């Protein structure tokens, strides 16, 4: 008997909260646009995160084709993926009134950039899932893409220079598009 319905329900609940949190942050950014200066870098990262949330949600539908039953540790690993997306969404954009006082750039540099570490964690654990569940080689194209996609947000997190972390955000967009194309093709 498949335990996929339980897994799909739990993952969908956490992902739904994650998407909700990101969208509420986007509404907050829209609402504060007159009082606080907007910044394109966190908005780009938010769009990237949204695409990853949707891609993961789509991938959940393919799980029964890969594996019919899941152990509790496997279930926890999948929940960890969804939770890391939620943490990224919760940190990336402001949602509290005290966060709304500063410019979006200041918020991102102080707090929002921590979302990038959680995003890298999601991609790292996703690689483990690909190796463990799909039995794919980490030396395949997706493995190389994952390494790049894990490293770039970490680099942006540690970058103190606006020029560096904004350049990484721009580089990440086509990398993310390529990753989506490769993922959905498989």
């Amino acid at each position: 008997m498949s335990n996929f319905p339980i897994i799909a329900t739990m993952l969908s609940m956490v992902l739904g909260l994650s998407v909700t949190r990101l969208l509420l942050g986007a509404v907050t950014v829209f609402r504060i646009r007159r009082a606080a200066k907007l910044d394109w870098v966190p908005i780009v990262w938010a769009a990237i995160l949204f695409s990853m949330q949707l891609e993961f949600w789509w991938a959940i539908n393919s799980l029964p084709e890969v594996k019919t039953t899941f152990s509790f540790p496997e279930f926890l690993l999948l929940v960890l993926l969804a939770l890391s997306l939620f943490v990224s969404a919760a940190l990336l954009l402001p949602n509290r009134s005290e966060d709304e006082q500063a410019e979006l750039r200041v918020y991102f540099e102080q707090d929002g950039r921590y979302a990038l570490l959680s995003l890298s964690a999601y991609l790292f654990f996703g690689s483990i899932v690909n190796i463990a569940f799909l039995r794919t080689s980490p030396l395949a194209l997706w493995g190389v893409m994952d390494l790049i996609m894990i490293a770039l947000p970490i680099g942006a997190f540690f970058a103190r220079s606006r020029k560096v972390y904004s350049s990484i955000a721009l580089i990440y967009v086509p990398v993310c598009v390529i990753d989506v194309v490769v993922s959905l093709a498989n």
Side-chain angles (χ1 to χ4, degrees), residues 124-146:
F124 174 75
F125 292 124
S127 294
I128 292 172
V129 167
N130 286 338
I131 293 167
F133 292 1
L134 303 178
R135 307 274 186 234
T136 55
S137 169
L139 302 176
L141 176 60
W142 75 264
V144 174
M145 289 296 296
D146 276 358

Side-chain angles (χ1 to χ4, degrees), residues 1-65:
M1 184 173 151
S2 174
N3 58 0
F4 176 73
I6 295 167
I7 291 168
T9 301
M10 180 62 179
L11 295 178
S12 291
M13 286 188 323
V14 175
L15 275 170
L17 291 171
S18 177
V19 170
T20 300
R21 177 57 196 90
L22 187 64
L23 294 176
L24 286 172
V27 168
T28 299
V29 167
F30 176 77
R31 198 180 66 236
I32 66 172
R33 73 190 185 284
R34 289 186 206 99
K37 187 175 176 187
L38 296 183
D39 183 30
W40 64 270
V41 174
I43 294 170
V44 165
W45 282 112
I48 290 167
L49 178 58
F50 185 65
S51 74
M52 288 186 180
Q53 290 169 327
L54 295 180
E55 184 181 2
F56 182 52
W57 219 330
W58 187 258
I60 290 170
N61 290 320
S62 301
L63 281 177
E65 298 168 15

Side-chain angles (χ1 to χ4, degrees), residues 140-162:
L141 176 60
W142 75 264
V144 174
M145 289 296 296
D146 276 358
L147 285 177
I148 293 168
M149 292 183 73
I150 292 167
L152 286 174
I154 292 171
F157 171 79
F158 285 109
R160 295 293 175 228
S161 163
R162 163 100 177 150

Side-chain angles (χ1 to χ4, degrees), residues 41-106:
V41 174
I43 294 170
V44 165
W45 282 112
I48 290 167
L49 178 58
F50 185 65
S51 74
M52 288 186 180
Q53 290 169 327
L54 295 180
E55 184 181 2
F56 182 52
W57 219 330
W58 187 258
I60 290 170
N61 290 320
S62 301
L63 281 177
E65 298 168 15
V66 175
K67 213 168 158 59
T68 55
T69 60
F70 296 84
S71 68
F72 190 70
E74 292 169 334
F75 169 70
L76 289 178
L77 182 59
L78 291 170
V79 170
L80 189 59
L81 282 169
L83 286 174
S84 60
L85 286 175
F86 175 82
V87 170
S88 293
L91 293 172
L92 188 57
L93 298 173
N95 75 326
R96 302 174 307 165
S97 58
E98 56 268 23
D99 295 332
E100 298 172 12
Q101 305 306 316
E103 296 177 5
L104 189 54
R105 177 178 175 176
V106 171

